[in-house]
Amino acid sequence: MEMQHIGSYKELRQNLKKAKRSYLLLYKSGSENSDCALANFTQAAEKIIEPISMLSADVNQVRDIHGNYQVTTAPTLLEFEGENFKKSVKGCQTADYYV
């Protein structure tokens, strides 16, 4: 499965309508912890065959998403069922965790 980069909150909401389950990684490029999370999330996306949506957004470029979900640190993974926010997981996780 290919990961898709999101450029705005509006784009995120449109993507959430398309899948039963979605995951969004909010990361900060140039941060060691975020670079770790993005690499592992990307690696996990390559292994997933389920019909889910794997999304990412760099908080250096996208500033209107994290405030809507009370995210104060990057990296943070947001989990959605349809358009409903379920939970968040902070920090860099292993690729197996993301799978």
Side-chain angles (χ1 to χ4, degrees), residues 4-16 55:
Q4 180 180 353
H5 184 76
I6 298 299
S8 69
Y9 179 69
K10 181 180 178 182
E11 190 177 346
L12 169 63
R13 299 304 301 172
Q14 290 170 344
N15 276 277
L16 295 178
L55 311 166

Side-chain angles (χ1 to χ4, degrees), residues 54-77:
M54 302 279 289
L55 311 166
S56 67
D58 184 351
V59 298
N60 286 327
Q61 298 172 0
V62 181
R63 302 200 181 271
D64 62 348
I65 296 175
H66 59 280
N68 287 290
Y69 301 102
Q70 292 74 47
V71 173
T72 57
T73 61
T76 298
L77 180 71

Side-chain angles (χ1 to χ4, degrees), residues 1 5 7-8 15-17 20 26-27 31 40 43 45 49 61 65-66 79 85 91:
M1 167 163 295
H5 184 76
S8 69
N15 276 277
L16 295 178
K17 294 176 184 179
K20 288 185 179 182
L26 290 172
Y27 68 96
S31 158
N40 291 342
Q43 189 177 50
I49 57 174
Q61 298 172 0
I65 296 175
H66 59 280
E79 179 182 345
F85 171 68

Side-chain angles (χ1 to χ4, degrees), residues 23-64:
Y23 296 89
L24 169 66
L25 179 68
L26 290 172
Y27 68 96
K28 184 176 185 178
S29 59
S31 158
E32 184 177 334
N33 204 22
S34 284
D35 290 344
C36 167
L38 181 60
N40 291 342
F41 191 67
T42 301
Q43 189 177 50
E46 294 170 1
K47 296 178 180 180
I48 294 175
I49 57 174
E50 294 179 46
I52 62 173
S53 184
M54 302 279 289
L55 311 166
S56 67
D58 184 351
V59 298
N60 286 327
Q61 298 172 0
V62 181
R63 302 200 181 271
D64 62 348

